[in-house]
Amino acid sequence: MLLKVTVLPKNGVLDPQGKAIQQALGSLGFDAVQDVRAGKVIMLDIAETDATRARAAAEDMARKLLANTVIESFTVEIP
Amino acid sequence: MLLKVTVLPKNGVLDPQGKAIQQALGSLGFDAVQDVRAGKVIMLDIAETDATRARAAAEDMARKLLANTVIESFTVEIP
């Protein structure tokens, strides 16, 4: 089963990568960009057919490895 | 308007970051993980109320800056 884990910096946490992207977009002429947040996406293919158990496993992986829950929040979706 | 750009390595392109995550998950005991692809997610807040135009602008940004379309594919969603 394929799962998509999205990791983004929490609100209020400085995001220098997002700011850099915003400045680069501005210098390319995209002036309408008001804010940019940059994060990670991890596509997991798990050998599990039960959606509830697959989701629970992915959340466990996110908490233990994929996200730093002090400064990042994560969501798990089944795409 | 908030848009979500997801950038992932194309199929067939080597993904060393994904492989590293897969090995790290394996060493943490998550043996059921068959494949991992690692990419980026960029949340854009664009000063544009028309969804079609906002999406077109985000696709333009992805092609020009956010994704390397030789080795990466991208999708634009309105979350």
Side-chain angles (χ1 to χ4, degrees), chain A residues 32 34-35 37 39 41 43 45 47, chain B residues 32 34 37 39 41 43 45 47:
Chain A
Q34 293 171 319
D35 191 38
R37 307 287 283 172
V41 61
M43 302 294 300
D45 190 3
Chain B
Q34 292 169 322
R37 307 289 283 172
V41 60
M43 302 295 298
D45 189 2

Side-chain angles (χ1 to χ4, degrees), chain A:
Chain A
M1 176 165 276
L2 201 65
L3 292 109
K4 182 181 184 176
V5 180
T6 306
V7 181
L8 279 164
K10 285 184 179 172
N11 283 332
V13 173
L14 279 177
D15 179 12
Q17 197 187 353
K19 286 282 166 265
I21 293 172
Q22 189 175 354
Q23 282 176 18
L25 286 171
S27 71
L28 284 173
F30 296 108
D31 302 317
V33 181
Q34 293 171 319
D35 191 38
V36 178
R37 307 287 283 172
K40 298 174 283 192
V41 61
I42 299 113
M43 302 294 300
L44 298 167
D45 190 3
I46 303 181
E48 171 66 66
T49 48
D50 182 73
T52 312
R53 272 191 288 176
R55 191 184 281 270
E59 286 175 2
D60 203 18
M61 292 175 205
R63 265 189 298 271
K64 285 188 181 153
L65 183 78
L66 306 175
N68 176 355
T69 53
V70 177
I71 54 167
E72 293 170 327
S73 61
F74 67 87
T75 54
V76 176
E77 294 160 78
I78 296 174

Side-chain angles (χ1 to χ4, degrees), chain B residues 55-78:
Chain B
R55 191 185 281 270
E59 284 174 3
D60 203 19
M61 293 176 204
R63 264 188 299 271
K64 285 188 181 152
L65 182 79
L66 305 175
N68 176 355
T69 53
V70 177
I71 55 167
E72 293 169 326
S73 61
F74 67 88
T75 54
V76 176
E77 295 161 77
I78 296 176

